[in-house]
Amino acid sequence: MNFISGQLTRNIETAGHAGFCYGVKRAVETTKKIKKENPDKEVFVLGELIHNSSVIKELEELGIKTVETLPSSAPKGAICIIRSHGEGIDTIEKIKNSGYEVVDLTCLDVKKVQDTAVNLAGEGYFLLILGKAEHPEVMAIKSNAKKYSKDINSPLVIKSLEDLISKSDLIKNKNKIGVVIQTTQRIDFLKSVVDYLIDKTKELKIINTICNSTALRQNEAKELAKRSDLMIVAGSKKSANTTHLYEILKEITPTLHIESDIELDNYKNLIQTSKNIGITAGASTPDYIIKQIEDKLKTI
């Protein structure tokens, strides 16, 4: 869209692949539907369904409880929803045994990573999981694969190439190494690990488990950044895929990572001097937040 701001004709372009991905949309819509169909039952989500505070607040207003720890004994008819990031098999079994009806809304792409990790561990590979150890998706992948690993140090979570190098003693003399990657990580991270490992083991099995939505979002945003004076990335600071978008784009053009349109007030001078502004958003960012940012830019 083009509009006049003072003497500057400004072009604002929003990426086509911005906002909710399929897995997030499915999780949010299904959770709301479950509560609507079960108004008299308590509905819990173990951990944040997605990394977006406005969505969590909306769910709470509908009576859907986000908790870090479930009541040890389930209220009568209580439903527990497994978030899009997934959970370990043992955790899910424990929830069922506590009397909860479990609805598993793990993203299908995340499920594939879990299954791949389990298969590699079962086949005797020393497993590396590329991602953030504290991220719920990675924690669930590790928990599931650990049950099948034959090595006390496997799976090993690696957050960066430097982290891998610092832990090189743990992979020394491993004849079979398998690698999976968190669905929202950067492809250049995976490439750097492959380059490092290629001559460190006799058998190296790499499975690129970055989801298609992440790859499309990142590639499209990079092209948009190349023709923009300023990029705006909308989404939670806790969202891995949103943070990675910001990291990628700031290497191409000046980039802001914001959670809401209100934060734009802090960057008025930068916005006023930018002719071409691009907008993208993480997979857990609702459309209405993107629209609010577009509208706010017109007023600055």
Side-chain angles (χ1 to χ4, degrees), residues 222-236:
K222 283 192 285 188
E223 292 304 310
L224 179 55
K226 290 175 184 177
R227 56 180 184 270
S228 300
D229 306 309
L230 175 66
M231 282 295 295
I232 294 172
V233 179
S236 171

Side-chain angles (χ1 to χ4, degrees), residues 50-171:
I50 64 170
H51 285 150
N52 188 280
S53 57
S54 64
V55 173
I56 301 305
K57 182 180 179 182
E58 181 184 359
L59 295 178
E60 289 175 348
E61 289 171 351
L62 293 173
I64 299 162
K65 300 178 181 178
T66 298
V67 297
E68 293 302 323
T69 304
L70 290 164
S72 56
S73 181
K76 185 176 180 181
I79 299 170
C80 177
I81 291 170
I82 303 301
R83 57 185 168 181
S84 53
H85 303 104
E87 283 291 348
I89 295 172
D90 290 343
T91 299
I92 294 176
E93 285 303 311
K94 184 178 179 181
I95 295 169
K96 289 179 179 178
N97 292 336
S98 296
Y100 292 88
E101 177 187 345
V102 174
V103 178
D104 190 353
L105 294 183
T106 303
C107 170
L108 299 181
D109 286 319
V110 173
K111 281 278 194 185
K112 290 177 184 177
V113 189
Q114 292 179 357
D115 292 342
T116 300
V118 164
N119 290 337
L120 287 172
E123 291 169 7
Y125 287 89
F126 184 90
L127 182 65
L128 300 181
I129 303 172
L130 309 187
K132 296 182 177 180
E134 68 277 10
H135 194 282
E137 176 188 328
V138 173
M139 293 170 67
I141 295 167
K142 181 179 180 180
S143 173
N144 288 338
K146 188 69 177 177
K147 295 169 67 71
Y148 300 90
S149 180
K150 299 172 178 64
D151 190 303
I152 191 172
N153 293 313
S154 175
L156 184 63
V157 178
I158 300 297
K159 64 181 179 181
S160 66
L161 178 59
E162 293 73 23
D163 185 33
L164 175 58
I165 293 171
S166 73
K167 297 173 179 174
S168 58
D169 285 350
L170 295 176
I171 63 170

Side-chain angles (χ1 to χ4, degrees), residues 160-203:
S160 66
L161 178 59
E162 293 73 23
D163 185 33
L164 175 58
I165 293 171
S166 73
K167 297 173 179 174
S168 58
D169 285 350
L170 295 176
I171 63 170
K172 192 175 182 180
N173 300 322
K174 302 298 182 186
N175 291 325
K176 297 173 64 175
I177 296 178
V179 179
V180 296
I181 185 167
Q182 186 180 343
T183 56
T184 52
Q185 281 287 334
R186 299 174 59 169
I187 189 66
D188 55 355
F189 178 23
L190 179 60
K191 289 178 179 177
S192 68
V193 169
V194 173
D195 289 342
Y196 177 77
L197 290 174
I198 198 70
D199 61 354
K200 301 291 190 300
T201 183
K202 290 182 178 179
E203 185 176 343

Side-chain angles (χ1 to χ4, degrees), residues 231-289:
M231 282 295 295
I232 294 172
V233 179
S236 171
K237 300 293 196 301
K238 294 191 291 184
S239 165
N241 75 88
T242 309
T243 301
H244 292 139
L245 273 176
Y246 170 69
E247 291 171 347
I248 291 169
L249 301 182
K250 72 178 182 178
E251 297 173 1
I252 301 172
T253 196
T255 302
L256 305 177
H257 181 181
I258 62 173
E259 297 191 358
S260 71
D261 61 299
I262 296 171
E263 294 176 65
L264 292 174
D265 289 329
N266 300 325
Y267 305 100
K268 284 186 176 181
N269 290 340
L270 181 57
I271 293 168
Q272 287 170 345
T273 56
S274 299
K275 182 177 180 181
N276 297 299
I277 299 178
I279 304 171
T280 188
S284 53
T285 306
D287 287 344
Y288 70 82
I289 288 182

